[in-house]
Amino acid sequence: MIKEKINFLEMDRISLEKFFLSIGEKSFRAMQIMKWIYFHYCDDFKLMTDIKSSLRFYLDSIATISAPKIVERKNSFDGTIKWKMRLYDSKEIETVFIPEKTRGTICVSSQVGCLLGCKFCATSMNGFKRNLKTSEIVGQIWRIKKIIDTQKNMIKNVVFMGMGEPLLNLKNLISSIRIISDNFGFSISKKKITVSTVGIPFAIKKLSENVDVSLAFSLHAPTNNLRNKIIPINKKYDISSCLSSINKFLRNSNIKNKKVTIEYVMIDGINDTIQHARQLVKCINKTPNKINLIPLNRINNLKYSFTRSKEKNIFIFQRFLIDKGFVTTVRNSRGEDIHAACGQLIGKIYKK
Ligand code: SF4
């Protein structure tokens, strides 16, 4: 039986060090290899010229550096780029790059599809297929940086806001974050890595015990009654249990003045009245936060016919929150024309 090769994109620095020690090499080889992978974007052991040739030959026989393959690229008029990537088992995911003037954000997927079925989101329309491996999460960034970022080093932010609920893929999320933030990995500040979740309290606790990152909470409704209707998982983990775990997360964080980003999608006539804004204030006033209002993006074939809140209502909603002392921004929707915006990522089903 042919033994499957080890994929080095699966391994953080500590696991790589252990690996090299286990084959009778010194642990510094881990940093040497990581430099080739994450600084030079090299996936060919034969080209790693500062490593002795016998070791290169051996690594080539037992290991690989293998990221998902790009199968499609779409460019938005606003500069946003969306890639469709194919995994080893032919499943597909989507990854988005959102450029600003001097920096950029990469939005990565953590699962193929999603189990949670939020009513305003396209990702779960095709059901849940599987969790992504660490190499498939890290590999999305590796591919994109290799294409667009080797010179300019533009990618300063990583957000787990692509396909899937990252906290339901906790083990691989944590090991990916370790590689993304490692100085010999992508070297992205932990403050600039944001995990967005609909709220899985036990996983929020585990996350804070393992890594220090920024958190975004997809609240989207200020009462359990309403939230149950648009985010079914709320029936299991209600708003107060989520906020209590988020408060603990913030207290445990080493990041100064840590706040959670409250994400609130604006849906016409559903959650966008002044009454809702009042309820929202009451709901989150004990949690250090900043609020990000997200005008609902257009999604084809959704079972529910939600539409985006009117601009005037978004403005009134925002004004109310600002007057109450909350930092409140309205997200500038990027990449909507190529279905790369929030809630639009879907992977393979989009072809149908
Ligand atoms: S919003 Fe997030 S958790 Fe909800 S269905 Fe979409 S991907 Fe899943």
Side-chain angles (χ1 to χ4, degrees):
M1 203 173 82
I2 303 166
K3 220 175 148 199
E4 209 182 306
K5 287 186 172 183
I6 308 161
N7 189 352
F8 277 172
L9 291 185
E10 280 290 316
M11 298 164 93
D12 62 20
R13 180 147 38 126
I14 293 172
S15 332
L16 276 171
E17 282 173 354
K18 281 187 189 152
F19 164 79
F20 280 108
L21 290 171
S22 77
I23 61 167
E25 287 289 332
K26 295 270 187 333
S27 61
F28 78 87
R29 294 287 184 205
M31 287 178 270
Q32 228 177 353
I33 284 284
M34 286 181 85
K35 240 177 139 180
W36 278 106
I37 298 175
Y38 299 107
F39 291 3
H40 301 298
Y41 304 96
C42 175
D43 55 1
D44 185 348
F45 295 109
K46 291 187 228 69
L47 303 178
M48 300 180 180
T49 44
D50 60 354
I51 297 174
K52 59 186 176 188
S53 64
S54 57
L55 180 57
R56 275 188 269 157
F57 185 76
Y58 178 63
L59 292 178
D60 199 38
S61 70
I62 59 147
T64 176
I65 297 155
S66 176
K69 307 264 179 307
I70 290 174
V71 290
E72 187 183 282
R73 170 181 171 145
K74 284 191 172 169
N75 289 35
S76 163
F77 75 94
D78 66 19
T80 301
I81 310 170
K82 180 175 80 169
W83 289 269
K84 185 172 284 185
M85 300 200 195
R86 188 162 294 150
L87 310 174
Y88 73 94
D89 55 0
S90 299
K91 295 190 169 49
E92 288 173 353
I93 51 167
E94 293 181 328
T95 312
V96 179
F97 174 64
I98 307 135
E100 311 277 348
K101 266 195 191 121
T102 55
R103 64 196 167 92
T105 298
I106 184 164
C107 175
V108 292
S109 293
S110 54
Q111 297 183 312
V112 186
C114 184
L115 197 64
L116 299 187
C118 302
K119 303 286 189 254
F120 49 84
C121 173
T123 302
S124 61
M125 275 164 62
N126 206 21
F128 170 71
K129 300 297 177 217
R130 67 172 174 86
N131 280 333
L132 294 188
K133 298 174 175 195
T134 302
S135 56
E136 292 167 335
I137 298 174
V138 169
Q140 293 170 63
I141 306 172
W142 188 85
R143 275 275 173 239
I144 290 171
K145 275 179 88 66
K146 188 174 163 132
I147 300 170
I148 61 170
D149 210 33
T150 43
Q151 304 301 319
K152 291 185 248 159
N153 198 20
M154 278 267 291
I155 296 174
K156 300 285 187 218
N157 301 290
V158 172
V159 294
F160 284 85
M161 294 184 186
M163 294 167 63
E165 165 52 59
L167 291 187
L168 292 181
N169 186 9
L170 193 61
K171 188 172 146 280
N172 296 334
L173 172 71
I174 290 170
S175 51
S176 306
I177 290 171
R178 288 195 175 124
I179 297 170
I180 295 166
S181 58
D182 193 305
N183 287 341
F184 287 87
F186 295 121
S187 193
I188 290 176
S189 147
K190 287 181 180 173
K191 226 167 118 181
K192 305 278 182 192
I193 303 172
T194 303
V195 173
S196 172
T197 176
V198 289
I200 315 287
F202 76 89
I204 291 174
K205 180 172 181 283
K206 278 251 152 60
L207 185 72
S208 92
E209 288 165 358
N210 284 281
V211 284
D212 204 4
V213 286
S214 296
L215 198 66
F217 176 40
S218 299
L219 178 61
H220 305 315
T223 63
N224 284 318
N225 247 345
L226 179 56
R227 199 167 189 258
N228 286 344
K229 290 182 189 142
I230 57 176
I231 301 181
I233 191 73
N234 193 67
K235 291 179 195 136
K236 189 165 179 189
Y237 304 120
D238 69 4
I239 296 175
S240 67
S241 67
C242 292
L243 287 175
S244 134
S245 63
I246 289 167
N247 286 336
K248 284 184 198 139
F249 178 94
L250 297 176
R251 280 199 296 274
N252 287 344
S253 170
N254 289 319
I255 299 175
K256 255 191 172 177
N257 301 323
K258 187 80 166 274
K259 290 179 176 174
V260 65
T261 302
I262 299 289
E263 293 173 327
Y264 195 96
V265 65
M266 299 294 293
I267 313 175
D268 190 33
I270 301 288
N271 64 354
D272 64 347
T273 66
I274 279 295
Q275 165 75 351
H276 293 119
R278 233 175 251 124
Q279 290 168 334
L280 180 60
V281 166
K282 223 170 136 194
C283 172
I284 57 171
N285 67 3
K286 291 199 175 73
T287 302
N289 69 72
K290 49 188 177 187
I291 303 169
N292 194 209
L293 304 176
I294 308 165
L296 181 76
N297 291 305
R298 182 172 43 88
I299 295 164
N300 298 332
N301 306 327
L302 256 197
K303 204 165 151 198
Y304 301 87
S305 55
F306 291 142
T307 49
R308 173 182 294 188
S309 298
K310 293 174 187 69
E311 221 170 287
K312 184 185 86 193
N313 292 344
I314 298 175
F315 179 76
I316 294 171
F317 200 94
Q318 180 190 25
R319 201 62 260 168
F320 181 89
L321 295 170
I322 291 174
D323 289 346
K324 293 285 174 194
F326 290 82
V327 173
T328 309
T329 50
V330 177
R331 186 177 294 175
N332 180 10
S333 204
R334 301 281 303 267
E336 197 186 356
D337 56 324
I338 53 164
H339 291 261
C342 205
Q344 292 185 311
L345 299 187
I346 195 163
K348 205 164 187 171
I349 194 178
Y350 185 59
K351 274 180 166 175
K352 290 181 182 173

